[in-house]
């Protein structure tokens, strides 16, 4: 027998579950433990001890999902890239190609970030790497501090959107949609977002060249330097082509392409003479750390969502939202607002695991394409990566930023880029074809 919680009804049960999660989050407990504790308490209180197999079945169903295999492969690939000189050579090559354009180094930093996103699919490493490579160089060249910081954080966050994004993989897993289709649909919006950043930088620097002084003739280099720099572009382009080309061409599944990407990066590292036991050890440990976090948060969220659905919560939320006297567009905007607010306090994994099992069925009931909603979700998570007070991008950059740059400086610099993200999100909400045209 339970504790009689089911007598209070699903409405108050919902308040109890959400309240329990937020109260425990305030204590500083990791999200995975918070959701697990709340789920077990609600299970025993609502259904009684005999309902324990419900919990174990949810855990088993989550950890045996085949699509999860792609996650450690892409994380491992990103870890190897972070420790090799591939990204550094790519940055140096693109710096030369930036030429004497005002704001050119900031623009090439965004292009490098885009290339890195097509190779790895995770974000933290990109921001740290760009913070070490690009930020000091832009500041040394006299670039405006706000533009320099914003370019590094906004460019580094493109990994949530550009295939092979881990966010897209997790969304596809939860929403039961094709991950390959998500990758195809995400490429155009991701490119639009990157070009929006580039446009902002160019407009600002062309109007006021002092914000991004052009390179001198000696700094830009001549034809000989440009030809030599091409070597730094070949390997990243080959790796990105191997991963994305095999997916888009129908040659390999996402999981198989992830494994091919790891092999490609390993070959590149060996060819460059950078392979070592220490590099492999550090890459494996980072992969285990990152994937362990994802799996544990996923387990906790899978339990709490599964129990809530058995309580009738999915029907309650669905009927409440669909029962609003509002148009489907307003409902979509309400969902976006909920995701944005949650992004202030939770990381994207927790938001995905907690919200998507409830939101995606509603999206389908409204007649919308869940792949389109997945793209909206990814852009929304990009906003959460930059948003104060807990935007991870700011903390990643603060750890490697030159002395004198504070969190206040970083968050102030990010405001125009957050506005760009919200504008692109609004564009995708009202013009779904931007995402879906490649699938037609």
């Amino acid at each position: 027998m339970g504790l009689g919680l089911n007598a209070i009804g699903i409405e108050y049960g919902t308040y109890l579950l959400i309240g329990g999660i937020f109260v425990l989050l305030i204590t500083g407990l990791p999200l995975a433990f918070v959701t697990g504790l709340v789920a077990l308490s609600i299970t025993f209180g609502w259904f009684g001890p005999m309902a324990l197999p419900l919990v174990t079945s949810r855990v088993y169903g989550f950890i045996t999902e085949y699509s999860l295999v792609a996650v450690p492969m892409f994380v491992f690939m990103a870890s190897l890239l972070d420790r090799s000189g591939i990204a550094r050579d790519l940055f140096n090559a693109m710096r030369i190609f930036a030429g004497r354009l005002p704001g050119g180094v900031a623009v090439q930093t965004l292009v490098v970030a885009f290339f890195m996103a097509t190779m790895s699919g995770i974000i933290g490493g990109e921001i740290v790497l760009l913070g070490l490579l690009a930020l000091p160089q832009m500041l040394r060249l006299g670039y405006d501090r706000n533009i320099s910081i914003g370019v590094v954080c906004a460019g580094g966050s493109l990994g949530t959107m550009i295939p092979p994004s881990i966010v897209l993989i997790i969304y596809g897993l939860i929403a039961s949609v094709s991950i390959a289709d998500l990758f195809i649909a995400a490429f155009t919006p991701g490119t639009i977002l990157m070009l929006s950043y580039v446009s902002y930088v160019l407009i600002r620097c062309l109007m006021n060249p002092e914000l991004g002084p052009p390179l001198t003739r000696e700094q830009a280099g001549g034809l000989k330097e440009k030809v030599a720099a091409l070597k730094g572009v070949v390997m990243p382009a080959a790796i990105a082509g191997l991963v994305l080309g095999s997916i888009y061409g129908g040659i390999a599944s996402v999981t198989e392409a992830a494994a091919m990407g790891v092999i490609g990066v390993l070959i590149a590292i060996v060819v460059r003479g950078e392979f070592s036991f220490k590099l492999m050890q550090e890459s494996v440990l980072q992969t285990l750390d990152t994937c362990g976090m994802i799996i544990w948060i996923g387990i906790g969220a899978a339990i709490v969502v599964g129990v809530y659905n058995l309580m009738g919560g999915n029907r309650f939320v669905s009927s409440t939202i669909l029962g609003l006297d509002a148009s489907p567009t307003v409902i979509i905007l309400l969902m976006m607002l909920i995701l944005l607010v949650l992004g202030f306090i939770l990381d994207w994994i927790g938001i995905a695991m907690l919200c998507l099992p409830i939101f995606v069925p509603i999206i389908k009931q409204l007649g919308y394409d869940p792949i389109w909603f997945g793209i909206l979700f990814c852009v929304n998570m990009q906003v959460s990566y930059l948003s104060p007070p807990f935007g991870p991008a700011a903390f990643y950059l603060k750890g490697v930023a030159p002395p004198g740059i504070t969190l206040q400086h970083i968050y102030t610099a990010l405001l125009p880029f957050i506005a760009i993200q919200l504008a692109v999100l609004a564009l995708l909400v009202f013009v779904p074809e931007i995402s879906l045209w490649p699938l037609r």
Side-chain angles (χ1 to χ4, degrees):
M1 293 292 292
L3 299 177
L5 291 181
N6 51 358
I8 65 176
I10 186 59
E11 182 177 352
Y12 291 102
T14 301
Y15 299 149
L16 182 63
L17 187 145
I18 295 174
I21 290 176
F22 279 98
V23 167
L24 288 178
L25 281 174
I26 293 172
T27 67
L29 278 174
L31 179 61
F33 298 157
V34 167
T35 52
L37 285 172
V38 170
L40 287 174
S41 301
I42 294 291
T43 300
F44 291 145
W46 199 276
F47 299 106
M50 298 302 292
L52 187 60
L54 299 175
V55 174
T56 57
S57 65
R58 290 290 301 182
V59 173
Y60 180 79
F62 175 76
I63 63 175
T64 55
E65 179 60 48
Y66 176 69
S67 300
L68 276 177
V69 176
V71 174
M73 289 290 100
F74 282 125
V75 174
F76 186 44
M77 185 168 68
S79 301
L80 291 170
L81 286 168
D82 287 349
R83 287 163 176 78
S84 72
I86 296 174
R88 182 184 64 250
D89 288 353
L90 175 62
F91 179 81
N92 291 333
M94 296 305 298
R95 179 183 61 81
I96 293 174
F97 286 112
R100 304 183 65 188
L101 179 71
V105 178
V107 170
Q108 64 90 13
T109 299
L110 289 167
V111 174
V112 169
F114 184 87
F115 263 99
M116 290 170 61
T118 63
M119 290 188 288
S120 65
I122 61 173
I123 304 161
E126 293 178 27
I127 293 173
V128 170
L129 199 58
L130 291 173
L132 291 170
L133 292 176
L135 184 58
Q137 185 167 157
M138 284 189 283
L139 295 176
R140 179 175 56 80
L141 291 172
Y143 271 61
D144 176 71
R145 183 182 63 194
N146 285 350
I147 287 180
S148 303
I149 291 171
V151 159
V152 168
C153 289
S157 71
L158 285 169
T160 62
M161 190 77 189
I162 307 298
S165 163
I166 301 297
V167 181
L168 288 170
I169 293 173
I170 297 297
Y171 178 88
L173 170 68
I174 296 172
S176 299
V177 297
S178 168
I179 296 173
D181 286 350
L182 284 168
F183 281 5
I184 293 170
F187 200 84
T188 300
T191 304
I192 289 173
L193 196 56
M194 187 269 287
L195 292 177
S196 299
Y197 297 151
V198 169
S199 300
Y200 169 75
V201 170
L202 285 178
I203 291 171
R204 292 287 310 277
C205 292
L206 288 172
M207 292 176 62
N208 183 4
E210 291 183 2
L211 297 177
L215 298 178
T216 64
R217 192 180 303 276
E218 292 75 19
Q219 290 169 331
L223 179 62
K224 183 178 179 180
E225 288 80 4
K226 287 181 170 62
V227 172
L230 282 173
K231 292 188 294 185
V233 180
V234 172
M235 281 189 180
I239 294 169
L242 178 67
V243 175
L244 298 182
S246 60
I247 296 173
Y248 294 157
I251 300 171
S253 67
V254 172
T255 304
E256 293 164 343
M260 290 169 62
V262 170
I263 294 171
V265 172
L266 283 173
I267 292 173
I269 290 174
V270 171
V271 169
R272 293 169 56 89
E274 296 175 335
F275 185 85
S276 68
F277 175 76
K278 182 180 179 182
L279 181 145
M280 288 294 292
Q281 182 185 42
E282 291 178 350
S283 299
V284 169
L285 288 175
Q286 182 184 354
T287 302
L288 290 172
D289 183 56
T290 303
C291 293
M293 175 190 68
I294 293 173
I295 294 298
W296 275 110
I297 291 177
I299 288 174
I303 295 172
V304 76
V305 171
V307 170
Y308 185 61
N309 287 345
L310 287 171
M311 291 165 58
N314 56 340
R315 294 188 297 274
F316 168 70
V317 174
S318 178
S319 62
T320 300
I321 292 179
L322 294 176
L324 294 174
D325 186 18
S327 67
T329 302
V330 172
I331 293 175
I332 295 292
L333 293 174
L334 176 62
M335 290 181 180
M336 292 296 103
L337 179 61
I338 292 171
L339 294 175
L340 284 170
V341 171
L342 289 176
F344 294 147
I345 55 175
L346 295 177
D347 59 35
W348 70 267
I349 306 170
I351 296 172
M353 297 293 183
L354 292 172
C355 294
L356 293 181
I358 297 172
F359 283 179
V360 172
I362 297 174
I363 291 297
K364 293 178 179 177
Q365 281 186 264
L366 291 172
Y368 288 118
D369 193 322
I371 290 179
W372 166 69
F373 188 75
I375 307 306
L376 299 184
F377 176 78
C378 283
V379 178
N380 208 308
M381 293 304 98
Q382 279 205 45
V383 178
S384 75
Y385 242 87
L386 304 189
S387 299
F390 302 117
F395 293 98
Y396 284 132
L397 183 60
K398 182 67 178 72
V400 296
I405 292 182
T406 65
L407 279 174
Q408 183 178 357
H409 292 149
I410 295 174
Y411 281 128
T412 301
L414 293 180
L415 292 178
F417 293 88
I418 293 173
I420 292 172
Q421 290 173 333
L422 292 173
V424 172
L425 177 61
L427 177 66
L428 296 174
V429 167
F430 292 105
V431 191
E433 282 302 311
I434 293 175
S435 304
L436 300 177
W437 73 267
L439 302 175
R440 300 304 188 195

